Amino acid sequence: MDTTAPESKEHLPMLFGSEFAATIQVEVCQKRTSAARAEDVKMHVMNLLQRHPVIYRDYTWSKFDNEFLQKHVNSVAVVDTEMHLVDSKAVDLLNSQLQLHIFQLWEDGPATEELEQDNEALSAASHWLLPAAEFQGLWENLVYDNEIKSNLLQYITTTILFSDMNVDSNVISWNRVVLLHGPPGTGKTSLCKALAQKLSIRLSGRYKFGQLIEINSHSLFSKWFSESGKLVMKMFQKIQDLIDDKESLICVLIDEVESLTASRSSSLAGTEPSDAIRVVNTLLTQIDQIKRYPNVIILTTSNLTGKIDMAFVDRADIKQYIGPPSAAAIFKIYLSGLEELMKCHIIHPRQQLLNLRQLGRMNFVKSKVSDLSLQLRDIASKSQGLSGRTLRKIPFLAHALYVQESPVSLECFLECLSKTVDRQFCENDIFISPH
């Protein structure tokens, strides 16, 4: 069993690279108050895994019978197992290569980065130290239909590998820019934050900590419109100061990037003010300057890709569409919500729900074992068209609107869930239909 943590450059590509599919990721959250050595934590975690050599899905331990783990560790999570379960029913930890990532969470919330303009303070960005407690678990709870998350991790791996191997960027170009685009409510911003959090954990052997700077695009491009180009430059000067710390991973998030990258063709045609041109030019110049630093990633989102300047689009290495969830993704979202409600005893007694893979093995035939899971599948199917943001609220609304008793049975709650979905579509129609 390989327990080597990624503490050197030659180990780094294994995090998500060509050997990623054969590697089990184990994320160990060490208590902030703990001063235990990483080697000691690894030893006790390995003993825990040896006592539980087979798992059937991602699994997290938060309660321990080991005194050392009780004192020093918040949780041990075996993650990203789904790809290993395609052709098998279980993951054999004893005969797998393990990558252990030991990290501590920063409990403080975001700080505010301010810029001075005309003797006034402008809130220009929010600034987190990573990994942050408020983002813990966010990555695992984002559900997509394809390999979006693993592709993003693979992109970061290649970025690091090319930098480590001194690939000449004049021969092969990459810009460290990711653009996630799609309709509102599909989780683009959450995915950017979750990616920054995940990178700070997976690269904890390389960087002492991560930092996430979320730029407030609207602030930079509103009150002092004629000064927006200068404000963007000031903001990136602050970011440059952070990048200079080589022991820190810097993730820059520009949400609704079209606010800063409005197409220059519109400006030249006279439909947009000329200051928009200066802002775009400044932003592109700053991206070109910081892309040579190996410890920075720029994450951007957009709801209106048609308004983005093509020079910025061209600089994005990955342009990933994030669309509304499919029925399969919705099923997973609902399933995780119901599991959470059963864990909290809001739904009681606990009953087993099968995932889609297990239902598929039963050919989706109705039985006492599969009945409730098939009902959930039907609810997920008719929920298509709702945004991811709305879907996460459906279980809450179901309880608030229709549950008459506490705790509630799973059978009753599924009925309430179905009614809530129907109601949500009716409410949406009111806003869509002309008055």
Side-chain angles (χ1 to χ4, degrees):
M1 185 183 293
D2 183 0
T3 63
T4 304
E7 296 178 348
S8 64
K9 291 183 178 180
E10 55 263 35
H11 287 144
L12 218 58
M14 293 176 59
L15 285 174
F16 324 113
S18 59
E19 298 187 48
F20 179 67
T23 303
I24 303 297
Q25 307 294 328
V26 182
E27 298 177 355
V28 181
C29 181
Q30 187 173 351
K31 291 183 177 179
R32 196 77 209 164
T33 55
S34 170
R37 297 185 312 157
E39 293 76 9
D40 294 332
V41 174
K42 289 179 191 176
M43 179 185 70
H44 286 276
V45 170
M46 292 307 303
N47 288 337
L48 170 70
L49 298 177
Q50 287 170 352
R51 296 199 308 272
H52 302 84
V54 177
I55 59 173
Y56 298 90
R57 62 175 71 177
D58 287 7
Y59 193 84
T60 300
W61 288 269
S62 56
K63 295 181 180 180
F64 310 100
D65 54 13
N66 177 290
E67 185 176 345
F68 179 92
L69 293 178
Q70 289 176 4
K71 182 178 180 180
H72 297 285
V73 173
N74 281 322
S75 63
V76 176
V78 182
V79 298
D80 297 340
T81 59
E82 190 168 286
M83 65 186 68
H84 304 276
L85 296 171
V86 174
D87 298 317
S88 62
K89 295 182 179 180
V91 174
D92 181 1
L93 296 179
L94 286 179
N95 294 304
S96 298
Q97 177 173 276
L98 303 182
Q99 287 283 336
L100 267 64
H101 312 284
I102 300 173
F103 64 95
Q104 294 177 310
L105 294 173
W106 294 91
E107 301 288 346
D108 297 335
T112 300
E113 293 289 344
E114 294 184 341
L115 297 177
E116 291 292 331
Q117 186 69 20
D118 295 341
N119 297 319
E120 291 188 50
L122 169 68
S123 176
S126 298
H127 184 180
W128 288 266
L129 292 178
L130 299 177
E134 69 179 276
F135 299 146
Q136 186 65 354
L138 180 60
W139 178 266
E140 287 72 24
N141 286 309
L142 292 171
V143 179
Y144 299 100
D145 301 306
N146 49 30
E147 302 302 318
I148 289 175
K149 294 197 291 186
S150 60
N151 287 345
L152 288 172
L153 292 176
Q154 181 65 43
Y155 163 74
I156 303 302
T157 302
T158 301
T159 296
I160 294 171
L161 176 63
F162 276 40
S163 297
D164 285 349
M165 302 306 291
N166 296 315
V167 174
D168 189 341
S169 60
N170 293 315
V171 178
I172 299 178
S173 177
W174 70 100
N175 295 297
R176 307 179 184 279
V177 178
V178 173
L179 172 60
L180 304 183
H181 61 96
T186 52
K188 298 183 294 297
T189 304
S190 295
L191 180 54
C192 286
K193 293 177 178 179
L195 176 61
Q197 174 88 346
K198 182 62 66 174
L199 293 174
S200 68
I201 292 172
R202 295 290 177 88
L203 301 176
S204 57
R206 181 187 186 96
Y207 300 106
K208 287 186 176 180
F209 58 94
Q211 300 186 67
L212 172 63
I213 300 92
E214 181 179 11
I215 295 177
N216 189 337
S217 303
H218 296 290
S219 290
L220 296 183
F221 206 63
S222 56
K223 185 174 181 180
W224 293 281
F225 184 79
S226 62
E227 300 293 316
S228 294
K230 294 179 182 178
L231 289 172
V232 170
M233 182 171 292
K234 286 182 180 179
M235 186 68 250
F236 273 87
Q237 286 172 349
K238 281 180 171 281
I239 292 171
Q240 180 64 62
D241 292 340
L242 300 175
I243 293 171
D244 288 339
D245 181 1
K246 299 301 186 292
E247 294 185 332
S248 177
L249 173 68
I250 308 300
C251 297
V252 180
L253 169 57
I254 308 176
D255 202 16
E256 298 183 20
V257 72
E258 64 270 12
S259 299
L260 295 180
T261 56
S263 175
R264 287 174 292 184
S265 61
S266 298
S267 300
L268 293 171
T271 58
E272 292 288 346
S274 60
D275 194 61
I277 298 177
R278 290 192 289 272
V279 171
V280 176
N281 288 341
T282 301
L283 182 62
L284 295 177
T285 299
Q286 296 304 313
I287 289 174
D288 290 341
Q289 287 180 357
I290 68 175
K291 70 179 184 180
R292 66 180 183 272
Y293 295 94
N295 62 326
V296 62
I297 297 293
I298 299 175
L299 308 169
T300 67
T301 74
S302 176
N303 300 329
L304 302 168
T305 51
K307 292 185 175 293
I308 303 177
D309 194 277
M310 283 307 298
F312 176 83
V313 174
D314 189 52
R315 280 166 171 78
D317 300 321
I318 287 185
K319 295 171 277 287
Q320 177 65 59
Y321 176 74
I322 309 292
S326 70
I330 295 171
F331 181 93
K332 291 180 182 179
I333 292 171
Y334 284 161
L335 182 61
S336 67
L338 294 174
E339 292 286 354
E340 178 68 14
L341 293 178
M342 286 191 281
K343 184 184 78 173
C344 297
H345 302 287
I346 291 175
I347 296 177
H348 187 77
R350 174 181 284 275
Q351 292 178 258
Q352 182 184 17
L353 284 169
L354 305 178
N355 60 37
L356 290 177
R357 184 182 293 109
Q358 292 167 326
L359 287 172
R361 293 196 187 106
M362 301 173 66
N363 295 317
F364 299 97
V365 174
K366 186 174 182 179
S367 68
K368 289 184 178 180
V369 175
S370 65
D371 183 32
L372 295 178
S373 304
L374 290 173
Q375 287 183 41
L376 181 61
R377 180 171 172 255
D378 291 339
I379 296 171
S381 180
K382 75 174 184 177
S383 299
Q384 291 182 89
L386 297 177
S387 71
R389 184 181 296 135
T390 298
L391 291 167
R392 289 288 181 186
K393 290 189 286 188
I394 293 293
F396 167 80
L397 294 174
H399 191 282
L401 294 172
Y402 297 112
V403 171
Q404 303 297 321
E405 58 184 20
S406 184
V408 60
S409 68
L410 180 57
E411 292 89 343
C412 179
F413 195 84
L414 287 174
E415 293 178 11
C416 298
L417 200 68
S418 181
K419 292 179 183 177
T420 306
V421 171
D422 294 335
R423 177 174 176 145
Q424 193 66 49
F425 278 111
C426 290
E427 291 178 351
N428 289 351
D429 287 342
I430 293 175
F431 290 97
I432 295 172
S433 301
H435 296 284

